[in-house]
Amino acid sequence: MSENSVIRGLGRRVTRRRNAVVGAAVATGVLLAVSPVAHALDSTGHQPAAVSVKTAKPASADSVARKLTPAVRAQLDRAIQQVMAQAKVPGVVASLSIPGKGTYERAFGVADTKTKAPMTTNVNMRVGSITKTFTATAVLQLVDQKKLKLDDSISKYVPGVPEGDRITLRHLLEMRSGLASYMEDNDWAIASLTDPYRQWKLEEFLPYAFKYPVSPAPGTKYHYSNTNTLLLGMVVEKVSGQSLGRYLQQHIMQPAHLKHTFYPKGAEFPAPHAEGYTNQRDIVEDAADWNPHSIGGPAGAVISNVTDLQHWAQVLSKGSLLKHSTQQERTKFLPTDIEGTGYGLGMFNSHGWIGHNGSLPGYQTVMVHLPAAKATLVIHSNTDTRYQGASPSTMFAKAITQIVTPKNVYDLKPLQPATASAPAGH
């Protein structure tokens, strides 16, 4: 595709940082597009305290989740198939585990629209921003090892960051640094979509973000930015002396017994994997061979499957690879511009479900754990094409949790300030 045709598409879908809808050009591994009005400070002018984002405190764990009876399973089948038809999703894998109440794991549709090969539950998938949970865990392990501190400034490790003396590693993990995301920049979007096979170096992304002023002030408001996690990946490499991929494999994936999860060096994508369908360049095309490092590796390159993500969601929620005090810091979920959702240190809490979602061209994933019911939900879909502004993965997760955990319905619905329109979310 020519650059001109890419630019024509971007004219409709890529916007500058402070426009009403941010990040609509490349729906790549973000929690939610940023509202033009972020969550306000409290009346004292200080950063708001961590808040509970659960919809209600249940009387008992048994009252939180329904038993996965044949009737409930049939209801889930119908709900998933309805979302598939509505959003025109080629294929989806849904995996739900509730100790004492059963498991539900099904694949629907096709993994390849050309060959009509069916979707299967063991496919490898690109998991987008779920990568952030791995990169953040690496940083927190280094905190536990006393090799760095959460309140260290980023300028201590990476030179040239605007206001780097004021931005801490904690701010980066919380998505409260005020740094723009390189993905919000038109020039980056043109470069990325013109050559999605390019192997970018991490430092090549930074100029696209650093051309914008730091706003809001560091530590004050939530603003989701892939630049934050990219910088954290650079910190891990500098402090550990290892590549990020090697560190993650040695210190996280192996200890967590994740046998089908890895951080690729390039565009490699082991079989079996689903083809992934995107309309990022205004035509529907297969993005399976696009390079996830053209988006920003530490923020979105990991490959995994539902079996591993089921386990990883529980490891994250329990803090198994971290000291207890560090996990307590991680789970201080601060307000965001998303209704009922708080963001901690590299993971979120949406209506009681703890974890992350992810989106790359062609793929979307939700991976969350509900401690109140010890329930874990993982969803893979092989398209990132939105339906009426909504992400397919969010639609699936909402439909499933409405049936099984009606007191804790997963949803990423943006807050709607009285003074502005809320953006469509990823």
Side-chain angles (χ1 to χ4, degrees):
M1 174 171 286
S2 70
E3 182 172 302
N4 286 340
S5 62
V6 173
I7 293 172
R8 284 196 297 272
L10 292 172
R12 290 193 297 275
R13 295 189 291 138
V14 179
T15 60
R16 289 289 183 183
R17 183 177 191 216
R18 293 307 176 202
N19 287 1
V21 180
V22 175
V26 184
T28 309
V30 294
L31 170 63
L32 200 72
V34 179
S35 168
V37 179
H39 199 97
L41 299 179
D42 65 15
S43 59
T44 64
H46 296 102
Q47 178 174 315
V51 296
S52 171
V53 294
K54 294 182 180 180
T55 54
K57 185 177 180 180
S60 68
D62 287 342
S63 68
V64 179
R66 297 174 65 188
K67 189 174 182 179
L68 298 177
T69 64
V72 171
R73 293 169 189 272
Q75 192 177 357
L76 290 171
D77 287 349
R78 291 191 296 270
I80 291 170
Q81 290 167 333
Q82 182 177 354
V83 172
M84 286 185 70
Q86 188 177 35
K88 296 181 172 57
V89 176
V92 62
V93 180
S95 178
L96 176 63
S97 174
I98 311 174
K101 297 192 175 183
T103 59
Y104 173 90
E105 188 165 287
R106 293 286 304 276
F108 299 85
V110 298
D112 188 327
T113 59
K114 289 184 178 179
T115 67
K116 305 302 180 185
M119 184 67 83
T120 59
T121 58
N122 67 334
V123 291
N124 295 306
M125 287 280 201
R126 301 194 188 280
V127 301
S129 273
I130 290 171
T131 304
K132 292 179 172 66
T133 66
F134 292 96
T135 302
T137 299
V139 172
L140 296 175
Q141 285 184 333
L142 294 171
V143 170
D144 282 346
Q145 297 166 23
K146 301 187 183 304
K147 293 182 178 180
L148 51 78
K149 298 178 181 179
L150 283 175
D151 295 318
D152 285 346
S153 68
I154 185 59
S155 64
K156 182 176 179 179
Y157 304 99
V158 181
V161 179
E163 300 194 37
D165 290 340
R166 298 177 59 202
I167 296 171
T168 67
L169 303 184
R170 186 190 300 272
H171 295 151
L172 298 172
L173 288 160
E174 293 173 341
M175 298 292 175
R176 288 173 176 263
S177 71
L179 290 169
S181 177
Y182 52 85
M183 290 179 58
E184 298 166 12
D185 181 72
N186 286 349
D187 294 335
W188 173 83
I190 291 170
S192 178
L193 290 180
T194 302
D195 183 10
Y197 310 100
R198 174 178 168 181
Q199 181 84 10
W200 291 60
K201 297 179 180 179
L202 296 185
E203 58 269 20
E204 292 179 309
F205 292 95
L206 299 180
Y208 295 103
F210 292 173
K211 67 171 70 173
Y212 299 101
V214 174
S215 178
T220 58
K221 296 179 183 179
Y222 170 86
H223 175 79
Y224 194 93
S225 172
N226 274 9
T227 305
N228 293 331
T229 315
L230 186 145
L231 288 168
L232 291 170
M234 296 173 73
V235 171
V236 171
E237 292 191 335
K238 182 169 185 176
V239 173
S240 71
Q242 297 179 295
S243 69
L244 182 61
R246 179 176 289 274
Y247 183 93
L248 295 180
Q249 191 65 38
Q250 182 176 341
H251 297 278
I252 296 178
M253 292 158 185
Q254 288 180 359
H257 307 292
L258 304 178
K259 299 179 181 179
H260 305 282
T261 304
F262 75 103
Y263 183 86
K265 294 181 179 179
E268 64 270 26
F269 200 170
H273 70 254
E275 304 304 305
Y277 300 96
T278 187
N279 66 348
Q280 294 292 343
R281 302 198 293 190
D282 284 338
I283 59 172
V284 176
E285 56 187 322
D286 187 353
D289 61 347
W290 290 14
N291 191 339
H293 293 280
S294 71
I295 304 300
V302 162
I303 291 170
S304 190
N305 66 8
V306 293
T307 300
D308 275 11
L309 292 187
Q310 275 276 339
H311 181 58
W312 179 239
Q314 296 173 51
V315 170
L316 276 179
S317 181
K318 296 174 183 177
S320 305
L321 299 182
L322 302 174
K323 291 182 179 179
H324 177 67
S325 58
T326 305
Q327 179 69 0
Q328 286 184 312
E329 290 294 311
R330 179 169 212 168
T331 53
K332 292 178 180 178
F333 298 104
L334 298 177
T336 68
D337 50 9
I338 307 154
E339 188 176 293
T341 300
Y343 204 89
L345 302 183
M347 65 183 186
F348 63 65
N349 183 325
S350 177
H351 305 275
W353 290 94
I354 295 173
H356 219 291
N357 65 343
S359 182
L360 280 174
Y363 302 93
Q364 287 195 340
T365 300
V366 170
M367 178 205 69
V368 285
H369 179 73
L370 181 63
K374 298 181 180 179
T376 307
L377 175 64
V378 177
I379 296 167
H380 286 312
S381 65
N382 61 345
T383 182
D384 66 318
T385 300
R386 301 159 73 81
Y387 174 75
Q388 297 184 354
S391 295
S393 60
T394 299
M395 295 172 67
F396 285 119
K398 182 177 180 180
I400 291 169
T401 55
Q402 280 177 329
I403 294 169
V404 180
T405 57
K407 294 181 180 180
N408 298 85
V409 177
Y410 175 96
D411 194 10
L412 298 182
K413 180 181 179 181
L415 292 169
Q416 300 194 25
T419 56
S421 298
H426 294 304

